[in-house]
Amino acid sequence: MDKNFKESFEKTKVAGMIAAGALDEVAKIAMPGIRTEELDNLCYEYLNDYGAYSAPLFYRGFPKSCCTSVNHVVCHGIPSDKILREGDIVNVDVTAFKDGWHGDTSRTFEIGEVSIKAKKLVETTYNAMMKAIKIIKDGTHLGDIGATIQNHVEAEGFSVVQDFCGHGIGQQFHKEPNVLHYGKKGTGEKIRAGMIFTIEPMINLGKYETKTLNDGWTAVTKDKSLSAQFEHTVGVTNNGYEIFTLSKL
């Protein structure tokens, strides 16, 4: 590995593994009857135990340590006393800040037995993310990432949210480039070895349009259809990619 980005990769991976570990713990308690604020408390305490800080906490006024987006909430759901029920799906998004570097990841969890449609949505969203990650290498166009996700998702009959995107990350929480989850092959900036960014497709069961609620954070589907999301932080290597937020489960 190029010595110029060896340190950034190593430090991002430490933060990423802490964030992934928090989601591994969430997986153990995400079940009917749990409140979303309990998931938030778990994430806060887990990050704290590993000497990390929650990047979302107080970020631009966000009040909690993670985002919990239930059912038709697309992203940035605020943990509360809301009780998760059988058949719900919930995305939990965690970003650990450790030794000056960020690791950002999210997963959508199925609460008890969910509908066949919900299960297919969650599976399609995860597969779209992984298909996009697998094409990453020095010289890949950002448009190739978006096209890979969009083609897979639309072939399954779902839609790609266009109002939010992945982003560069490192010592800053959000920076260039913006990583769109839709697009045309061969377009956009070429990614280069040493770059670190997130891929985090938000996929809707219905139409792609969203709106943000009066709290200024919670984004929901306009047609109230279900939405799912997965996210990894990845680094571009000289001959491919490295995922910094892999689950240990």
Side-chain angles (χ1 to χ4, degrees), residues 91-149:
N91 176 270
V92 182
D93 191 337
V94 179
T95 305
F97 182 64
K98 170 79 171 173
D99 294 336
W101 293 81
H102 294 83
D104 190 0
T105 185
S106 83
R107 296 177 211 163
T108 296
F109 298 94
E110 299 174 6
I111 306 303
E113 288 295 317
V114 304
S115 69
I116 292 170
K117 278 187 175 179
K119 193 173 278 291
K120 184 184 176 189
L121 176 68
V122 171
E123 187 178 285
T124 299
T125 305
Y126 177 78
N127 289 340
M129 174 187 68
M130 293 308 298
K131 279 176 177 285
I133 289 172
K134 285 172 183 173
I135 69 164
I136 290 173
K137 62 180 188 298
D138 185 275
T140 298
H141 288 272
L142 283 174
D144 297 356
I145 293 171
T148 298
I149 292 169

Side-chain angles (χ1 to χ4, degrees), residues 74 163-164 208-213 217-224:
V74 175
D163 294 333
F164 303 95
Y208 67 83
E209 290 91 354
T210 72
K211 64 178 181 179
T212 300
L213 301 185
W217 284 103
T218 308
V220 300
T221 55
K222 271 193 177 176
D223 61 8
K224 298 186 177 176

Side-chain angles (χ1 to χ4, degrees), residues 64-110:
K64 297 290 184 174
S65 295
C66 69
C67 300
T68 52
S69 302
V70 183
N71 293 335
H72 72 292
V73 178
V74 175
C75 61
H76 304 153
I78 301 172
S80 66
D81 60 2
K82 179 179 178 61
I83 295 171
L84 296 175
R85 306 195 182 281
E86 185 89 14
D88 285 344
I89 60 173
V90 56
N91 176 270
V92 182
D93 191 337
V94 179
T95 305
F97 182 64
K98 170 79 171 173
D99 294 336
W101 293 81
H102 294 83
D104 190 0
T105 185
S106 83
R107 296 177 211 163
T108 296
F109 298 94
E110 299 174 6

Side-chain angles (χ1 to χ4, degrees), residues 3 7 9 29 35 48 68 77 83 101 110 113 117 138 144 148 150 153 166 182 185 188 190 216 221 231 233 249:
K3 65 182 179 183
E7 181 189 15
F9 275 32
I29 68 165
R35 288 178 166 81
N48 193 54
T68 52
I83 295 171
W101 293 81
E110 299 174 6
E113 288 295 317
K117 278 187 175 179
D138 185 275
D144 297 356
T148 298
Q150 186 175 15
V153 166
Y182 62 97
K185 203 168 178 184
K190 285 185 178 180
T221 55
E231 175 183 17
T233 297
L249 292 180

Side-chain angles (χ1 to χ4, degrees), residues 188-210:
E189 177 186 345
K190 285 185 178 180
I191 60 177
R192 296 298 180 196
M195 291 176 76
I196 301 172
F197 51 83
T198 69
I199 294 182
E200 48 181 298
M202 286 148 265
I203 308 303
N204 295 348
L205 190 63
K207 296 180 179 177
Y208 67 83
E209 290 91 354
T210 72

Side-chain angles (χ1 to χ4, degrees), residues 136-181:
I136 290 173
K137 62 180 188 298
D138 185 275
T140 298
H141 288 272
L142 283 174
D144 297 356
I145 293 171
T148 298
I149 292 169
Q150 186 175 15
N151 292 342
H152 179 71
V153 166
E154 291 181 353
E156 296 292 341
F158 303 127
S159 64
V160 180
V161 171
Q162 299 185 10
D163 294 333
F164 303 95
C165 61
H167 52 89
I169 191 168
Q171 290 174 295
Q172 291 173 261
F173 191 177
H174 296 95
K175 63 178 192 175
E176 294 295 318
N178 289 331
V179 183
L180 303 182
H181 302 118

